[in-house]
Amino acid sequence: MSASLDHGLPQPAHDGTDAEARPVFLTEPRVLGLPASAWPRILAPIVIGVLALALWEFVVRWKQIPPYILPGPLLIGQTLVADWGTLSGSLLITLRITFMALAAAIIFGVSLAVLFTQSKWLEMSLLPYAVILQVTPIVAIAPLIIIWAGDINLSLLICAWIVAFFPILSNTILGLNSADHNLINFFQLYGATRWQTMRYLKLPAALPYFLAGLKISGGLALIGAVVAEFVAGTGGTESGLAYRILEAGYQLKIPRVFAALIMISMSGIAIFLATSWISHLLLRRWHESALKREN
Amino acid sequence: MDTAYLSTPHDEKTGGGKPLVSVRHVSKQFANGTLAVRDVNLDLGTGQFISLLGPSGCGKSTLLRMIAGLGAPSTGTIEWPTTSHDASGKPERDLGFVFQDPTLMPWANALANVMMPLILKHMPKREAEQRSAEMLELVGLKGFEKSYPRELSGGMKMRVSIARALVMRPKILLMDEPFAALDEITRHRLNDDLLELWWKTKFTAVFVTHSVFESVYLSKRIVVMAARPGRVMADLDVDAPYPRDELFRTSSDYAHLCRVVSGKLKEAIGS
């Protein structure tokens, strides 16, 4: 009895079940800096892509399809190199509009979402209009925006922003409202202010939802920028990739159309990879979506 | 441990002087009409270890949350006679709360989770870090400061939750079935460690549970509640001395106490 009455400090850390259940992070062999299991994910699509391109080139040569109907991948590649000067300038213009629109979408989307969760009245009154903005086809209202905004770059920006901002808004609202109820109670217990609850609880809880929205909006901003420019059809030195495609189409320079298309697709893929990477970096320590499981 | 017995009614529930919390004629009716708690009177004395024992739906959690200030009673009052009140007349409740789930912030590591109450009270970060690290050590989690909740086992998460509740050094610790979801071995260990913490730091503990064994092992006093509507059926003193340990858990006194409390609980359920 005397031994068992020894009440000193609690000493649970090394004597039993749960304290020793610390996770063991298994290390995988690495090949060229990447985990071995990551390579099939990278190589398989590349092999498929190369095979498809080879088949395309073969069919074009075998059937002797003229380049103004369908150019082969080799010709497209040559055009891409030859026209790089003009095309890369246009790409930069398109990307500039894309990223400005995305930035505006993030700022407006998140601020509006925060505002809406602070006031049910604001949400009830304004959210329907955000939905209307979202469901109206951008092609249909782009001409109006171009007339009203006056400046062509500004109108392109507005169009891309309208397309991009809704996923961020709606996902962030969902995220802000999905903070754990007991955690909200816990913050109440310690008399947390609205601002403290927002900063320490609701914003971190909304982060995974916001990032999911960002992944969608990144691609949409690019699409918005390209579509708006198609409608605007601006020419001159300050034009983006969409106008280059229109222009090359009129002149039947089809290889150039393809080259520009490839640049747009590659940009879209790069934006998607970048947003996915950001999302992974921010969530990998704690969120279910970013965790690797053994079973 | 020779004189262990149950006494009721007991004379000195408050441990002398004013109680820390005084619950008077408290009822709670939810919006859907359910009468969760009916006319409960309870004094929580300083330094006690009190269990609220009852079947599910007896309003024990609701009562605990009302004591914490989460939801006001429909009728009756909950007073804090010894606590200072702010300008609007609300008591500045000096309490810690442990939820049924660990309720940790998954994006913050153990240390940051424990620090949160201090941060919310504007304590400088350094000081908050130091105090939280001490608290983690006290609950047996030294070395796990940087671990995220998902990297911790269920029992360890509960320890973090307890550390967070105690980091403000509250006068009273309210616990809402904190160990219900844990396995038996882990629960016994946490029971032991909780008793040690209570023995050393001298807070008042209010522990909601539906386990007779747990309540007898831990408490100085057991409040047995009945359901539909939630009400107090019996108020028992457990006079077994502290410190209690594995020896007490296997003693015939303990078995006897459990049998008596079980009987009271059966009466409460049958009524």
Side-chain angles (χ1 to χ4, degrees):
Chain A
M1 179 157 183
S2 59
S4 52
L5 279 175
D6 175 28
H7 276 243
L9 286 163
Q11 302 150 344
H14 304 293
D15 59 344
T17 49
D18 59 23
E20 282 165 16
R22 196 156 198 195
V24 178
F25 296 104
L26 297 173
T27 48
E28 219 184 335
R30 285 176 169 264
V31 181
L32 294 177
L34 281 173
S37 65
W39 279 105
R41 273 178 89 85
I42 297 168
L43 289 179
I46 290 179
V47 170
I48 293 291
V50 169
L51 285 178
L53 288 178
L55 183 70
W56 178 359
E57 185 71 39
F58 171 75
V59 171
V60 165
R61 283 172 191 241
W62 178 48
K63 292 273 184 190
Q64 296 186 330
I65 300 171
Y68 56 83
I69 294 188
L70 181 68
L74 282 179
L75 180 58
I76 294 170
Q78 283 160 8
T79 316
L80 193 58
V81 173
D83 293 355
W84 181 255
T86 336
L87 289 180
S88 63
S90 296
L91 174 67
L92 281 183
I93 289 163
T94 301
L95 286 182
R96 201 176 63 205
I97 289 170
T98 302
F99 284 116
M100 281 166 72
L102 189 58
I106 292 170
I107 293 167
F108 273 85
V110 173
S111 325
L112 269 182
V114 168
L115 222 56
F116 284 2
T117 46
Q118 295 300 302
S119 156
K120 275 279 151 224
W121 275 102
L122 262 180
E123 183 176 356
M124 279 192 298
S125 343
L126 290 182
L127 193 59
Y129 294 100
V131 176
I132 290 172
L133 215 53
Q134 162 71 9
V135 296
T136 310
I138 194 66
V139 187
I141 47 170
L144 285 175
I145 292 170
I146 290 162
I147 292 169
W148 292 336
D151 179 56
I152 192 67
N153 276 325
L154 181 63
S155 24
L156 295 185
L157 187 61
I158 293 173
C159 289
W161 168 75
I162 288 176
V163 180
F165 110 107
F166 192 77
I168 291 183
L169 173 70
S170 104
N171 274 29
T172 310
I173 289 177
L174 180 66
L176 290 171
N177 287 331
S178 65
D180 181 82
H181 189 76
N182 277 334
L183 272 174
I184 291 174
N185 282 163
F186 160 74
F187 272 67
Q188 273 172 8
L189 279 176
Y190 290 97
T193 59
R194 273 181 169 213
W195 162 242
Q196 282 177 325
T197 311
M198 183 54 73
R199 177 175 168 203
Y200 293 115
L201 175 59
K202 293 197 169 175
L203 284 177
L207 188 63
Y209 297 84
F210 161 76
L211 289 169
L214 184 65
K215 268 195 221 177
I216 302 168
S217 289
L220 285 182
L222 180 66
I223 292 173
V226 171
V227 167
E229 207 193 353
F230 261 107
V231 178
T234 44
T237 49
E238 275 280 291
S239 46
L241 276 180
Y243 183 73
R244 294 291 165 222
I245 290 175
L246 281 176
E247 187 187 50
Y250 295 141
Q251 298 164 357
L252 281 183
K253 290 181 180 164
I254 303 303
R256 197 167 173 178
V257 171
F258 273 90
L261 269 179
I262 285 172
M263 289 174 98
I264 292 174
S265 311
M266 289 299 164
S267 309
I269 292 169
I271 290 170
F272 178 79
L273 289 177
T275 49
S276 301
W277 179 241
I278 291 169
S279 174
H280 175 76
L281 284 183
L282 290 174
L283 301 181
R284 63 184 164 161
R285 285 306 296 268
W286 65 276
H287 198 255
E288 287 293 331
S289 67
L291 300 179
K292 268 200 164 178
R293 297 218 163 263
E294 289 292 310
N295 52 0
Chain B
M1 231 178 270
D2 43 351
T3 56
Y5 64 101
L6 277 162
S7 63
T8 181
H10 46 84
D11 322 307
E12 208 193 5
K13 281 176 188 150
T14 61
K18 281 184 181 173
L20 191 58
V21 180
S22 173
V23 178
R24 286 282 163 271
H25 303 293
V26 161
S27 300
K28 173 80 179 182
Q29 189 156 24
F30 286 126
N32 63 13
T34 314
L35 191 57
V37 175
R38 192 186 70 187
D39 195 29
V40 167
N41 291 287
L42 211 58
D43 278 341
L44 307 178
T46 310
Q48 285 192 334
F49 200 119
I50 304 150
S51 283
L52 302 180
L53 174 69
S56 57
C58 74
K60 51 195 193 303
S61 290
T62 310
L63 181 61
L64 195 77
R65 293 174 88 87
M66 284 192 290
I67 292 172
L70 298 170
S74 308
T75 58
T77 55
I78 297 175
E79 278 164 14
W80 295 66
T82 59
T83 310
S84 57
H85 289 60
D86 66 11
S88 60
K90 275 190 228 152
E92 281 165 358
R93 302 181 186 88
D94 188 5
L95 60 83
F97 199 100
V98 179
F99 294 88
Q100 198 165 352
D101 304 312
T103 314
L104 303 175
M105 301 180 293
W107 53 83
N109 63 30
L111 187 70
N113 265 291
V114 176
M115 275 168 67
M116 206 63 238
L118 304 173
I119 298 288
L120 292 176
K121 296 289 181 198
H122 306 288
M123 183 184 274
K125 197 169 171 238
R126 270 255 173 105
E127 205 184 331
E129 265 176 9
Q130 200 188 342
R131 253 173 82 170
S132 308
E134 283 167 19
M135 209 59 234
L136 275 174
E137 190 176 348
L138 202 62
V139 298
L141 284 181
K142 191 179 170 57
F144 289 91
E145 292 85 358
K146 296 269 177 280
S147 299
Y148 282 74
R150 61 157 291 262
E151 297 164 354
L152 301 171
S153 68
M156 292 161 88
K157 278 187 247 188
M158 237 342 143
R159 287 173 190 274
V160 176
S161 193
I162 291 170
R164 182 180 65 184
L166 289 176
V167 76
M168 299 280 286
R169 295 176 195 145
K171 284 207 194 89
I172 183 165
L173 179 65
L174 307 174
M175 289 164 280
D176 187 4
E177 299 190 39
F179 309 143
L182 301 175
D183 65 87
E184 179 116 348
I185 301 163
T186 311
R187 187 165 41 189
H188 280 180
R189 289 244 325 271
L190 280 165
N191 281 162
D192 288 340
D193 294 343
L194 178 63
L195 270 189
E196 297 221 21
L197 273 173
W198 171 74
W199 189 248
K200 272 202 332 241
T201 38
K202 303 289 177 206
F203 50 83
T204 302
V206 183
F207 192 95
V208 165
T209 181
H210 52 238
S211 160
V212 170
F213 306 104
E214 197 169 46
S215 66
V216 173
Y217 184 69
L218 293 171
S219 328
K220 258 187 182 171
R221 177 181 169 202
I222 299 174
V223 176
V224 181
M225 296 181 72
R228 281 172 288 277
R231 61 205 187 276
V232 173
M233 292 298 289
D235 199 332
L236 313 162
D237 277 348
V238 182
D239 291 342
Y242 293 92
R244 298 174 184 170
D245 50 31
E246 208 49 49
L247 207 69
F248 173 61
R249 214 198 292 274
T250 50
S251 70
S252 58
D253 284 339
Y254 176 68
H256 171 68
L257 288 166
C258 288
R259 201 152 44 234
V260 176
V261 174
S262 252
K264 286 283 177 193
L265 185 62
K266 275 219 182 84
E267 272 176 43
I269 294 169
S271 66

